[in-house]
Amino acid sequence: MGESGIAEKLVEVLHRPDGDRALRPVHTIGIGATGYFKPSPIARNFCIAQHFREKRTNVSVRFSNGSGAATAHDGWSDVRGLAVRFHLSDGSDTDLIAMTLPEFFSPTPEDFLNFAEGAKPKPYKGETPWQKIFNLLQVILPKRDPYPGETISPDEGAIEFADQNPHAQLAVLDAAEIGAPVSYVRESYHAVHTFVVTGADKTRRWVRFSWQPIAGVLKTNPNLPPVDDYLRQELKGRLASEPARFSLMMAVGEVGDDFNNSSRPWPPHRKRIMMGTLTVNAVPEDQIEHSEKLSFNPGLLTEGIETSEDPVLKIRIDSYKISSERRSATPCPFSQG
Ligand code: HEM
């Protein structure tokens, strides 16, 4: 299968039976917001991209639930997304797409296709209390009970895949216990892939970006019944009284780190540079324009930031274009040339 064949197949396989083909196949429920980014005083030494050199850059962001379900299940355990578009002063844009999972499931597009096929949601198979005790005695983790109204689950297939494919185990385990945040701005988000940045002295560095919430990470209590739809309202209410902020951290890779495989984390003691602060301060009324119609792309980059050779990062560039065309979103500026 050629590259574009896989990119297309990936979009197809990500659609869930409870999704809506007119919407995104994943990260379907979300909310658009606006704000600005201010670089730290040292950021420009490490990356010459415009938004690290200029005082302040306006941004459009979209927070999302990772699931492809077309109805909000905010209180369910799920990965969340934060896509940021920096509106540069020369009129161009650059995107940074991140999620709450610190690593990805697969090192290659082919492997992710197998994973996504294996993890296609299946009818929820519950376990009796006896089965749970029996499993615990054998040190098999008991399965989570379905949430009220949850009939299909991707966990079953994902766990089976991870049993056969050790590289997927870290992400599958992290995803299985990720929980639900009290707010979209009380999560940390990771861009996961390696990018190559050029510094003021032309030094090129292999780096990974993540957003850390200034307010700290806070999850809901998993023992309380989940609330279906609260995150969008919470964000509107919060921003009406105060802005929310995130620090942009950049970990610098070293010889021996895996630059082209986002399923492998780097050692936690890698040097991290504080690159700037994102302030999110408004939720526009028109959510069709500022959320539904938006299309982000991990390949929409600007001078000073390049993709690494990570094949998953490369295939995403095509998959996001295909998905955006299918749902008739406003083409990402990158697709137009
Ligand atoms: C081969 C791997 C992947 C594939 C095929 C894939 C596919 C997709 C597709 C098709 C969309 C919808 C795009 C649109 O219609 O605009 C999407 C959205 C999204 N993906 Fe991925 N994805 C992959 C990996 C990742 C990774 C590694 C991350 C985290 C860094 C990520 C984070 C997101 C987020 C946050 C959104 C929502 C963007 C928005 O708010 O518009 N994805 N993905």
Side-chain angles (χ1 to χ4, degrees):
M1 199 184 322
E3 293 266 295
S4 69
I6 296 185
E8 184 123 30
K9 196 105 200 275
L10 279 169
V11 177
E12 191 52 46
V13 82
L14 288 175
H15 278 286
R16 282 170 60 119
D18 56 351
D20 178 338
R21 297 187 71 87
L23 305 176
R24 291 171 179 80
V26 283
H27 294 270
T28 311
I29 299 293
I31 181 166
T34 52
Y36 57 89
F37 175 79
K38 280 185 171 180
S40 71
I42 54 165
R44 56 169 56 212
N45 300 342
F46 292 90
C47 182
I48 56 163
Q50 271 184 59
H51 52 305
F52 296 124
R53 279 187 286 119
E54 293 184 353
K55 270 201 159 134
R56 177 181 158 135
T57 300
N58 287 337
V59 299
S60 302
V61 311
R62 181 173 179 268
F63 294 97
S64 56
N65 293 348
S67 164
T71 39
H73 296 297
D74 292 347
W76 295 11
S77 177
D78 191 7
V79 170
R80 317 289 151 155
L82 167 55
V84 179
R85 174 159 294 166
F86 300 86
H87 303 294
L88 305 174
S89 59
D90 69 0
S92 68
D93 292 323
T94 182
D95 287 353
L96 184 61
I97 306 177
M99 64 170 169
T100 49
L101 207 54
E103 64 284 316
F104 196 53
F105 303 98
S106 297
T108 63
E110 293 77 9
D111 184 87
F112 185 55
L113 190 55
N114 291 335
F115 172 83
E117 272 164 355
K120 262 205 151 324
K122 299 188 176 70
Y124 209 101
K125 273 197 235 146
E127 271 177 350
T128 63
W130 289 117
Q131 184 68 42
K132 285 187 185 174
I133 294 168
F134 181 70
N135 286 348
L136 267 180
L137 291 174
Q138 300 178 86
V139 206
I140 298 174
L141 283 182
K143 275 187 207 152
R144 175 176 66 72
D145 289 328
Y147 296 114
E150 188 182 22
T151 55
I152 53 172
S153 153
D155 292 353
E156 204 101 11
I159 291 166
E160 269 168 37
F161 184 90
D163 279 342
Q164 308 298 323
N165 298 275
H167 60 258
Q169 282 170 9
L170 189 59
V172 167
L173 279 176
D174 280 348
E177 55 188 35
I178 206 155
V182 301
S183 164
Y184 278 129
V185 303
R186 301 293 309 264
E187 283 276 26
S188 34
Y189 296 88
H190 314 275
V192 166
H193 301 285
T194 304
F195 292 85
V196 186
V197 296
T198 304
D201 62 357
K202 299 203 167 54
T203 303
R204 295 172 82 231
R205 293 181 176 87
W206 276 251
V207 301
R208 289 182 175 177
F209 290 103
S210 58
W211 296 107
Q212 300 299 336
I214 305 279
V217 171
L218 190 64
K219 306 275 184 180
T220 57
N221 181 344
N223 299 319
L224 296 176
V227 178
D228 266 345
D229 194 352
Y230 63 93
L231 285 171
R232 289 173 288 192
Q233 217 41 51
E234 195 278 341
L235 188 71
K236 280 188 208 162
R238 174 188 291 265
L239 298 188
S241 57
E242 55 172 6
R245 294 200 161 88
F246 291 86
S247 302
L248 180 61
M249 305 305 297
M250 187 177 85
V252 182
E254 294 182 11
V255 174
D257 291 342
D258 210 322
F259 295 154
N260 301 327
N261 177 357
S262 55
S263 69
R264 295 196 54 196
W266 291 351
H269 50 275
R270 285 288 165 268
K271 182 153 126 188
R272 292 196 321 156
I273 316 289
M274 187 343 195
M275 294 296 282
T277 307
L278 170 71
T279 299
V280 183
N281 57 12
V283 173
E285 203 53 46
D286 185 352
Q287 282 293 310
I288 300 294
E289 201 57 32
H290 289 270
S291 171
E292 294 315 314
K293 288 273 169 200
L294 272 186
S295 59
F296 293 89
N297 195 298
L300 181 64
L301 299 174
T302 186
E303 198 190 340
I305 312 180
E306 299 154 54
T307 60
S308 60
E309 291 304 310
D310 181 340
V312 172
L313 174 55
K314 299 223 159 167
I315 205 83
R316 284 178 70 201
I317 296 174
D318 288 339
S319 286
Y320 285 54
K321 275 189 212 163
I322 293 166
S323 172
S324 156
E325 278 160 24
R326 280 195 186 184
R327 63 185 179 86
S328 312
T330 312
C332 128
F334 181 60
S335 321
Q336 291 160 321

